[in-house]
């Protein structure tokens, strides 16, 4: 939309796939990265004892479209993941959401990072060959977590930071003895396959968001955390963990993601920090 909220362009998947709402990344060349939830009938009785012979299993499609909405890159989870990689999901169910992708980022080397909630996994994908380069977290984890043995689970968001680290929102549905959510920053050694926790923020007292959420590193070094399905809506924290801002919305109103960007006021040239909140109900349709 333009400044008058008139729709001036739309972005959608090609090759017959529907467009999922979880991510849209507009690139500098006017290309866009999108995802689709691709459901297929699968005879799960051939995969797991007692499985439904006519189960509906949701996979994930990642696409890059050009300025004319042509698909110039496509990646299918069906070619690389196993349904049973979703180790928290009920494999005997009629409907199995096996991947549940929720974020895409372009890595510093031009390849693609994706977050898959139901795999507890961040995956790096070669943007030329579509091959998986590495898998971080989950059942097929390839990294040693040097100082964070609990790792992350049911996470939302993945962003590569300017310092080379990655940041994500760890929903923490399966942390023990009690679930809690946090924002985490890891330093990755992609050669030796190690992940070092270099920063995290846990609210005091702890918050737990069953779903949704995001962590954005701001231009001033602070981090904006949208807590998702939590009664505290968002918190902006300084690098030392002190709060710069905290906002709560009414009960039942949740944020899928919150963003804060410098905003150029039209006609004045003045740069004003402005916060935008994107809302989404849970569960996803």
């Amino acid at each position: 939309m333009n400044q008058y909220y008139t729709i001036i362009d739309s972005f959608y998947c090609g090759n017959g796939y529907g467009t999922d709402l979880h991510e849209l990344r507009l690139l500098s060349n006017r290309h866009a990265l999108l995802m689709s939830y691709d459901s297929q009938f699968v005879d799960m009785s051939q995969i797991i004892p007692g499985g439904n012979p006519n189960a509906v299993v949701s996979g994930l499609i990642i696409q890059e479209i050009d300025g004319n909405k042509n698909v110039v890159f496509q990646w299918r989870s069906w070619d690389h993941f196993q349904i049973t990689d979703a180790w928290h999901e009920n494999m005997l169910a009629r409907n199995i959401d096996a991947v549940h992708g929720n974020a895409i980022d372009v890595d510093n080397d031009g390849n693609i990072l994706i977050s898959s909630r139901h795999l507890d996994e961040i995956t790096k994908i070669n943007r030329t060959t579509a091959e998986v380069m590495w898998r971080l977290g989950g059942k097929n984890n390839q990294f040693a977590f040097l100082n964070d043995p609990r790792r992350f689970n049911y996470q939302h968001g993945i962003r590569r930071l300017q310092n080379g680290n990655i940041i994500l929102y760890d929903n923490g549905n399966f942390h023990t003895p009690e679930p809690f959510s946090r924002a985490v920053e890891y330093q990755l050694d992609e050669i030796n396959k190690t992940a070092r926790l270099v920063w995290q923020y846990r609210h005091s007292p702890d918050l737990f968001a069953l779903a949704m959420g995001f962590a954005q590193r701001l231009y001033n070094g602070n981090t904006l955390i949208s807590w998702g399905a939590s009664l505290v809506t968002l918190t902006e924290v300084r690098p030392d963990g002190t709060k710069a801002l905290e906002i709560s919305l009414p009960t039942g109103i949740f944020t899928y993601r919150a963003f804060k960007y410098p905003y150029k006021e039209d006609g004045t040239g003045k740069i004003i920090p402005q916060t935008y909140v994107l809302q989404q109900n849970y569960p996803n349709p």
Side-chain angles (χ1 to χ4, degrees):
M1 296 181 182
N2 64 14
Q3 64 268 38
Y4 305 109
Y5 301 102
T6 302
I7 295 175
I8 58 175
D9 203 354
S10 298
F11 300 87
Y12 43 85
C13 291
N15 295 342
Y17 291 108
T19 307
D20 182 73
L21 55 80
H22 280 89
E23 187 70 284
L24 165 64
R25 304 303 304 276
L26 297 181
L27 309 181
S28 58
N29 61 357
R30 298 302 299 167
H31 287 204
L33 291 170
L34 295 157
M35 62 174 59
S36 174
Y37 280 16
D38 178 35
S39 296
Q40 298 187 18
F41 288 102
V42 177
D43 183 356
M44 289 298 296
S45 68
Q46 299 298 311
I47 298 174
I48 187 169
N52 192 307
N54 200 33
V56 179
V57 180
S58 295
L60 180 68
I61 308 297
I62 302 294
Q63 288 187 350
E64 179 180 350
I65 60 172
D66 65 17
N68 295 317
K69 308 302 188 291
N70 298 309
V71 178
V72 296
F73 173 84
Q74 179 171 288
W75 179 89
R76 302 170 69 252
S77 67
W78 301 104
D79 300 327
H80 303 278
F81 295 162
Q82 301 297 315
I83 297 172
T84 52
D85 290 347
W87 53 355
H88 303 300
E89 298 306 297
N90 180 8
M91 292 292 128
L92 305 181
R94 172 74 166 85
N95 296 284
I96 303 172
D97 187 359
V99 183
H100 200 98
N102 57 32
I104 310 172
D105 198 24
V106 177
D107 206 348
N108 294 338
D109 58 8
N111 293 306
I112 291 175
L113 299 173
I114 65 170
S115 168
S116 300
R117 169 182 164 92
H118 288 177
L119 303 182
D120 305 332
E121 178 177 316
I122 305 300
T123 312
K124 184 166 181 175
I125 300 167
N126 188 298
R127 202 165 163 191
T128 302
T129 66
E131 292 301 312
V132 170
M133 300 176 68
W134 50 249
R135 304 176 72 169
L136 172 70
K139 188 176 181 179
N140 295 277
N141 173 59
Q142 296 174 309
F143 285 73
F145 283 75
L146 301 178
N147 58 344
D148 189 32
R150 64 167 48 95
R151 307 195 322 204
F152 53 84
N153 55 73
Y154 265 35
Q155 77 290 339
H156 278 74
I158 177 61
R159 294 293 185 264
R160 180 76 77 168
L161 301 176
Q162 289 186 348
N163 64 10
N165 297 339
I166 63 169
I167 191 170
L168 56 88
Y169 179 68
D170 174 19
N171 288 80
N173 296 51
F174 302 99
H175 289 329
T176 57
E178 297 292 336
F180 67 88
S181 302
R182 59 180 178 156
V184 290
E185 177 184 348
Y186 292 105
Q187 182 184 64
L188 300 184
D189 182 337
E190 299 179 53
I191 302 298
N192 297 307
K193 297 292 190 298
T194 61
R196 182 180 299 278
L197 180 69
V198 296
W199 182 87
Q200 69 171 322
Y201 182 79
R202 290 176 63 171
H203 196 276
S204 182
D206 270 330
L207 296 174
F208 169 57
L210 178 73
M212 302 178 279
F214 193 65
Q216 179 198 11
R217 181 60 46 81
L218 303 176
Y219 54 91
N220 62 359
N222 291 356
T223 304
L224 188 69
I225 305 166
S226 45
W227 293 101
S230 169
L231 292 181
V232 175
T233 300
L234 64 89
T235 307
E236 180 180 339
V237 296
R238 302 179 182 94
D240 64 1
T242 58
K243 294 179 184 178
L245 170 72
E246 189 158 86
I247 293 176
S248 291
L249 295 177
T251 301
I253 303 298
F254 304 131
T255 58
Y256 178 66
R257 291 180 184 173
F259 298 92
K260 184 176 182 179
Y261 291 111
Y263 176 73
K264 188 172 183 179
E265 185 70 14
D266 186 33
T268 68
K270 185 179 180 181
I271 303 298
I272 303 173
Q274 174 130 351
T275 300
Y276 300 89
V277 178
L278 306 185
Q279 299 178 1
Q280 173 190 312
N281 290 327
Y282 181 85
N284 298 324

